[in-house]
Amino acid sequence: MEQTVVMTGASRGIGRTAARRLLAGRPQAHLVLLSRTVPQALVDELRAAGGSVTVIRADLSSLRSVSEAADEVVELVHPGRLPPIGALVCNAGVQLTNALTETVDGFEATFAVNVLANHVLLRRLQGHLPPSARVVVTVSDTHFGDLRHNLGMVPGPQWHPVETLARAAAFPDPSGSTAGRAAYSTSKLAAIYLVHEYARRLPTGFTITSFNPGFVPGTDLARDADAISRFAMRRVMPLLTLTPLATSPDRAGRFLADAVLGTVSAPTGAYVDRDRVAASSPASYDRQREREAWEAVEALTARFLPSVADPNPGRENR
């Protein structure tokens, strides 16, 4: 069956591999890539392999840009110019060297991109997803906060009310890289909380899962880090992919595509750890935090969400 797959974070790293594998596994699909920039070489490569690809500009650090990109998707799908949306892949993410960077909306940038942007995108497309749709949100096993999962490189989550996490300086010494990494692991815990809550709130038939690629050196996730850290991630840490401690970008991308294609059988709300369903951290199963996170994120992004009475939920309330 023809369908549209909407994806963020396909321009580099595991997303780039996943995009190729998605079209190989579902050649009748139309891939819509949402990104600030998508290399033309990637688009040419996908099309040369027979893929159908559309690029929509979206700056995930701007919630208005995200909402407008969602509207563009709706304007292509709703009149039938593209097939119905079969899958939404929220793969984009950032890890910064501080917890002080603010977006144009006044939110802390890590939380804005890793959590708020995904929420706006999903909520704006929700009314246009068929009951069989599959949503996959890329998270991270850094949310466990232990040596086994983060190799001592990323501090564990430091949970605060979402209203605090969404603003700059939520962590001690916010100008330092430790705070930036704590913001990252905490944002991924928040994303898992929301996946659990989405699973309860989305209509029956939807499948939404969180996907953990494992530790994947060799990608550009640390592109904003200091020079030594960037060198280690790109040149030294990839050696760990020869051990069970790390996953190569190619394997991680294939695992992500499999999660989207449904190759991995996972119930809604599940945590897919690379190529299998597993338990996320004990702290990630907290019904009160999940509900509170949902309510707070809804409030923070309210002006970019469709209203209950809006007959066309693909349009921003202005």
Side-chain angles (χ1 to χ4, degrees):
M1 182 181 70
E2 290 189 355
Q3 62 178 234
T4 294
V5 177
V6 181
M7 182 176 185
T8 67
S11 62
R12 56 169 66 90
I14 70 173
R16 189 165 182 154
T17 297
R20 293 195 295 262
R21 187 173 177 90
L22 280 170
L23 287 178
R26 195 167 289 168
Q28 73 274 29
H30 187 101
L31 190 59
V32 175
L33 306 180
L34 306 186
S35 180
R36 188 162 44 191
T37 58
V38 174
Q40 188 59 44
L42 172 61
V43 177
D44 293 342
E45 175 188 344
L46 294 173
R47 288 175 175 164
S52 179
V53 183
T54 295
V55 177
I56 294 178
R57 187 184 182 282
D59 179 356
L60 299 186
S61 67
S62 164
L63 298 185
R64 179 176 295 279
S65 178
V66 173
S67 65
E68 290 174 349
D71 289 352
E72 288 191 52
V73 174
V74 171
E75 288 165 1
L76 291 172
V77 171
H78 190 63
R81 283 183 282 173
L82 288 182
I85 301 171
L88 171 61
V89 190
C90 299
N91 176 62
V94 297
Q95 180 179 316
L96 304 178
T97 57
N98 63 74
L100 288 176
T101 304
E102 291 187 337
T103 67
V104 294
D105 303 304
F107 297 118
E108 191 278 318
T110 306
F111 199 87
V113 173
N114 296 354
V115 180
L116 301 182
N118 290 341
H119 187 74
V120 170
L121 182 59
L122 173 54
R123 290 280 281 106
R124 292 190 73 77
L125 294 180
Q126 179 181 337
H128 302 276
L129 299 176
S132 59
R134 185 178 299 273
V135 180
V136 177
V137 180
T138 298
V139 293
S140 167
D141 53 6
T142 58
H143 84 277
F144 279 86
D146 57 19
L147 183 63
R148 175 181 166 227
H149 290 91
N150 62 24
L151 304 181
M153 295 183 295
V154 180
Q158 300 175 29
W159 191 253
H160 301 289
V162 164
E163 295 85 351
T164 300
L165 295 173
R167 304 297 178 181
F171 304 94
D173 189 18
S175 63
S177 60
T178 298
R181 294 184 181 116
Y184 176 79
S185 63
T186 306
S187 74
K188 295 302 184 178
L189 177 59
I192 295 173
Y193 284 148
L194 288 177
V195 166
H196 293 164
E197 195 67 15
Y198 292 138
R200 285 188 284 270
R201 292 175 182 263
L202 290 175
T204 301
F206 278 64
T207 299
I208 181 167
T209 58
S210 52
F211 166 74
N212 167 49
F215 174 52
V216 189
T219 70
D220 273 346
L221 180 62
R223 58 190 174 272
D224 295 310
D226 59 88
I228 294 176
S229 296
R230 292 198 308 271
F231 177 81
M233 283 292 288
R234 293 172 180 171
R235 303 298 181 187
V236 180
M237 293 299 181
L239 296 174
L240 290 175
T241 59
L242 301 175
T243 76
L245 296 174
T247 311
S248 70
D250 182 66
R251 289 183 68 225
R254 287 188 284 114
F255 292 153
L256 172 57
D258 288 345
V260 178
L261 293 169
T263 305
V264 179
S265 179
T268 191
Y271 177 78
V272 178
D273 182 10
R274 284 159 278 203
D275 60 349
R276 68 200 64 186
V277 174
S280 50
S281 71
S284 70
Y285 298 97
D286 187 320
R287 292 285 288 264
Q288 181 174 342
R289 284 185 181 179
E290 290 162 4
R291 177 179 54 79
E292 291 174 351
W294 168 278
E295 292 172 351
V297 168
E298 281 276 295
L300 290 170
T301 61
R303 73 190 186 96
F304 300 101
L305 303 181
S307 67
V308 175
D310 189 348
N312 182 0
R315 284 293 177 190
E316 179 185 343
N317 301 317
R318 300 184 186 277

